[in-house]
Amino acid sequence: MSHPRNPRRAYDADGSETPPVTVGQGLADGYRTLMVYCEAHNCGHGAEVPLKDRPPHLPVPDVTSKLRCSQCGGRRIRMMVNVTELYARAHGAGSTGG
Ligand SMILES: [Zn+2]
């Protein structure tokens, strides 16, 4: 028995679908934006997508399914966490210099 898998969902070792993080959870976790990149050939246009503009119940992986590249109109969009925010979180509010 094999069920068709949704490529936008994660599955555990048993093949069970694991619930994706939603926009609301991302915001609660301190994320404000997603970095997205166009995968179209010779484009690679990048943009920041504010999470607060998205429905809170929307799974984060589905945010990109609604997007189109503003540069070429392409719909193959790759999502990454905003590393700038990750660094800010890792280093905390109080900088030790450097
Ligand atoms: Zn593009």
Side-chain angles (χ1 to χ4, degrees):
M1 256 325 171
S2 64
H3 299 282
R5 293 189 172 198
N6 184 336
R8 292 187 185 280
R9 293 293 181 273
Y11 294 86
D12 63 21
D14 295 330
S16 306
E17 187 174 317
T18 58
V21 175
T22 62
V23 167
Q25 286 175 315
L27 285 170
D29 210 25
Y31 292 98
R32 296 290 174 265
T33 58
L34 289 174
M35 295 300 296
V36 294
Y37 296 94
C38 176
E39 289 194 315
H41 193 55
N42 288 338
C43 182
H45 179 67
E48 287 187 23
V49 176
L51 281 179
K52 65 178 172 58
D53 293 347
R54 307 289 154 181
H57 62 270
L58 186 72
V60 168
D62 283 1
V63 171
T64 58
S65 69
K66 310 274 192 250
L67 296 177
R68 288 181 67 165
C69 175
S70 60
Q71 200 92 333
C72 73
R75 304 197 67 166
R76 289 185 60 84
I77 308 292
R78 186 157 54 101
M79 177 191 76
M80 292 179 67
V81 286
N82 190 334
V83 288
T84 309
E85 290 184 353
L86 277 185
Y87 278 125
R89 282 154 52 88
H91 291 294
S95 173
T96 53

